[in-house]
Amino acid sequence: MENAIVKLRGYKDGLHLIIKPKVSLKEVEEAIHELINGMNQPLEGTSVHIDMSTTPLTSADLMELETHLTEKYNLNVSGVNLIDDNEESPIIAAPAVHIIPHCLPTDNQQDYGHAEIVRQTIRSGQTTSSLTGSIIIYGDVNPGGEVVASGDIIVLGTLRGNAHAGANGRLSSVIMAMELVPLQLQIGSYVNRPPIGQKPRGYPEIARIGAENIIIVEEFIKF
Amino acid sequence: MGKVIVITSGKGGVGKTTSTANLGTALAMIGKTVVIIDADVGLRNLDVVMGLESRVVFTSMDVIEKRCDLDKALVKDRRVEDLMLLAASQRNRKDDIKPEQMFDICERLREEYDFILVDSPAGIEQGFHNAAAGAEEAIIITTPDVSAIRDADRIIGLLQNQNIDPISLILNRLSPTLVKKGNMISKNDVLDILNIDLLGVVPEDEGVIASTNRGVPLVHNEQSPGAEAYMRIARRMTGQRVPIPEMREDNFFSNILNWFSRK
């Protein structure tokens, strides 16, 4: 069983469907079929978390897999963990990625060079947004506070709340903060949250969309 | 001209009423003239904490509806000179009072008194807006809990929108022992998030419960660490420079706690 293409494991946060790296979507689907048919108990209606490698499955494959699991086996995919098997990769925060459908029109080629400067801390319950460019904040964004920009978000303080860059669909947008310990990050229609209990690292960090459409967070050195 | 200060927190149960009662009493003991206003219409309890329950005849509602003069509605404290209480009506609801009416009462009181402390209800609705209406300054009370800090942060944002300045912080119920064990958020972490001036730190003190139930504010008991903290805060409010002592493990208060936990 150790070498099986897919494994089902129960962890603290629920069932995890673990997919072996370097297999094709077709193999995965066959293996899932075998696994689920060979089980004594029905799985219908339960939630599973997918743990998979970043290669070679693409996000399109992932979406297809989700649809497959939902339609064929009536399983509810509660989240996806992408495990990176390449150690040199810049992924620091193990991302829990939830792909949500585009809710806003796609990039309409606005001038993202325009930036709005906010000279205050964004506190719980406060929202600051700019749908015509980027936002620079001279202060913190506290838990419960929210920043939304169609361009980039730069926080010259600690980002502890939510930030949504590229809100019109511009996926090249970035989120940067002197200390990046957000509740949630969103770039375009991709959402990511850091692992629970993450401590500030003590250096500036930048979040952007990397390969496979995952939001990656790395030490900020230059844009 | 006196100062009107709203004492608020967002979250309930963090010590707004206790702090209002103690700071009001402490300021009066220093020799200031003080009015404490209960703005928690419909759920009043500042009179109970002050032990003045039986003396309340008129409330702020009676003043607003012109059933009595403002002077007549002020209840004199039993123990300290120059400390007055303006109680809230228990029969009415928070939206029966308008912010302008509260503002009017505060404006009239500040002509005669040095400090007007307004005890705000929990929440961010009408009651909070009424309490803040006449205030030029605010004191935020929070405990070192994530939920209380989150609500305090929300309240600070709302007060800043109303141009209330300065807004200062009292960190209530801090236990140095628990902080040291890593089980409580430290003073510096709270300040890091809220980013406002610290007016004082009040240690966790069991004496508060007894004093509340007896209707005698803690500051009357000079031995208690909580009373000392409130006295220091009151002095700071009058413009004196009183340093905030670093609470260490080996102070009187935690020695007692240690002594208990060793047993």
Side-chain angles (χ1 to χ4, degrees):
Chain A
M1 275 299 275
E2 271 316 298
N3 246 339
I5 293 173
V6 288
K7 287 182 284 189
L8 207 53
R9 287 275 181 279
Y11 290 127
K12 251 190 209 162
D13 59 340
L15 276 181
H16 281 234
L17 189 70
I18 303 160
I19 300 172
K20 195 177 139 181
K22 300 189 176 69
V23 286
S24 72
L25 183 66
K26 196 161 173 286
E27 284 176 284
V28 172
E29 283 180 356
E30 278 170 11
I32 289 174
H33 181 74
E34 226 169 82
L35 179 81
I36 291 178
N37 279 353
M39 292 188 38
N40 300 327
Q41 287 174 325
L43 273 181
E44 277 150 31
T46 44
S47 294
V48 291
H49 213 83
I50 301 177
D51 291 2
M52 59 181 268
S53 156
T54 50
T55 48
L57 296 181
T58 63
S59 60
D61 289 343
L62 181 61
M63 270 164 135
E64 201 184 319
L65 191 61
E66 273 195 57
T67 328
H68 183 76
L69 287 172
T70 317
E71 283 173 5
K72 199 158 177 201
Y73 306 105
N74 193 16
L75 288 171
N76 181 11
V77 178
S78 57
V80 181
N81 277 334
L82 290 146
I83 303 151
D84 194 73
D85 38 16
N86 176 4
E87 284 179 9
E88 286 163 31
S89 144
I91 297 180
I92 296 170
V97 180
H98 301 267
I99 296 170
I100 61 165
H102 280 272
C103 45
L104 287 158
T106 46
D107 201 351
N108 52 4
Q109 301 303 318
Q110 286 160 333
D111 176 18
Y112 293 104
H114 169 77
E116 194 175 305
I117 292 175
V118 180
R119 287 170 208 272
Q120 68 171 70
T121 287
I122 308 299
R123 298 184 181 272
S124 178
Q126 295 178 328
T127 300
T128 183
S129 66
S130 163
L131 291 178
T132 55
S134 303
I135 292 186
I136 301 172
I137 294 171
Y138 293 179
D140 299 340
V141 179
N142 280 353
E146 194 182 20
V147 187
V148 181
S150 57
D152 302 332
I153 294 171
I154 315 285
V155 182
L156 298 172
T158 307
L159 172 54
R160 304 185 186 91
N162 291 1
H164 184 183
N168 286 347
R170 180 180 177 258
L171 296 182
S172 59
S173 303
V174 297
I175 300 168
M176 192 212 133
M178 292 296 122
E179 295 270 10
L180 193 63
V181 275
L183 290 178
Q184 232 174 54
L185 293 177
Q186 193 171 350
I187 297 177
S189 54
Y190 298 94
V191 187
N192 184 353
R193 60 172 174 73
I196 286 167
Q198 194 193 318
K199 294 265 183 306
R201 293 174 198 282
Y203 50 76
E205 288 184 295
I206 185 164
R208 54 160 66 96
I209 294 195
E212 309 288 322
N213 286 338
I214 312 151
I215 298 181
I216 59 167
V217 175
E218 57 194 329
E219 182 176 359
F220 173 75
I221 295 160
K222 62 179 172 127
F223 280 107
Chain B
M1 281 294 257
K3 269 187 195 169
V4 183
I5 304 173
V6 60
I7 296 178
T8 183
S9 68
K11 190 175 178 297
V14 296
K16 288 179 295 294
T17 303
T18 308
S19 296
T20 310
N22 280 293
L23 291 177
T25 308
L27 285 166
M29 284 161 93
I30 296 173
K32 301 289 174 187
T33 54
V34 186
V35 182
I36 50 178
I37 302 180
D38 193 344
D40 205 344
V41 177
L43 280 173
R44 77 177 194 207
N45 40 35
L46 187 56
D47 54 331
V48 182
V49 175
M50 293 297 295
L52 297 173
E53 213 178 348
S54 60
R55 301 188 183 201
V56 176
V57 182
F58 295 112
T59 65
S60 49
M61 206 66 214
D62 296 316
V63 177
I64 288 166
E65 293 180 345
K66 302 212 160 53
R67 280 193 289 270
C68 80
D69 286 343
L70 182 52
D71 291 347
K72 240 182 177 176
L74 298 178
V75 183
K76 222 173 155 310
D77 187 56
R78 284 192 288 165
R79 298 176 185 80
V80 200
E81 282 282 302
D82 292 329
L83 176 59
M84 301 290 187
L85 166 76
L86 180 58
S89 160
Q90 188 72 321
R91 291 189 305 273
N92 291 81
R93 285 153 32 118
K94 293 187 172 58
D95 28 12
D96 291 343
I97 295 187
K98 293 191 186 70
E100 306 88 77
Q101 295 167 329
M102 200 62 189
F103 177 81
D104 186 50
I105 289 181
C106 293
E107 282 303 297
R108 282 159 68 190
L109 287 172
R110 61 190 283 185
E111 284 171 16
E112 278 182 59
Y113 294 87
D114 298 328
F115 283 94
I116 294 97
L117 306 182
V118 187
D119 180 25
S120 153
I124 53 171
E125 292 81 20
Q126 177 86 42
F128 160 72
H129 286 290
N130 284 343
E136 53 190 312
E137 293 184 17
I139 294 176
I140 307 286
I141 314 284
T142 189
T143 54
D145 304 298
V146 274
S147 49
I149 296 168
R150 182 78 66 92
D151 291 0
D153 193 44
R154 177 91 171 97
I155 284 284
I156 296 167
L158 294 173
L159 291 169
Q160 282 174 341
N161 287 347
Q162 296 188 20
N163 294 322
I164 291 182
D165 183 56
I167 302 171
S168 50
L169 182 75
I170 292 179
L171 183 54
N172 196 11
R173 305 191 64 178
L174 190 78
S175 155
T177 318
L178 286 180
V179 171
K180 198 177 181 194
K181 282 185 190 156
N183 291 335
M184 189 179 264
I185 302 170
S186 74
K187 180 187 88 184
N188 287 344
D189 285 349
V190 176
L191 288 177
D192 217 30
I193 293 181
L194 296 181
N195 198 15
I196 55 174
D197 290 336
L198 183 67
L199 184 60
V201 180
V202 182
E204 176 80 38
D205 186 342
E206 284 185 1
V208 170
I209 298 165
S211 91
T212 303
N213 290 339
R214 274 188 288 128
V216 183
L218 192 67
V219 285
H220 287 293
N221 171 11
E222 285 157 19
Q223 309 293 303
S224 107
E228 288 175 4
Y230 278 121
M231 286 307 295
R232 282 195 295 269
I233 293 169
R235 285 200 199 93
R236 281 179 211 120
M237 287 168 75
T238 63
Q240 289 181 40
R241 289 194 174 197
V242 184
I244 298 175
E246 275 301 321
M247 275 197 258
R248 286 191 313 267
E249 274 290 278
D250 58 354
N251 67 13
F252 168 71
F253 162 69
S254 55
N255 277 347
I256 295 177
L257 270 187
N258 284 341
W259 185 74
F260 277 117
S261 56
R262 267 203 302 271
K263 279 186 110 177

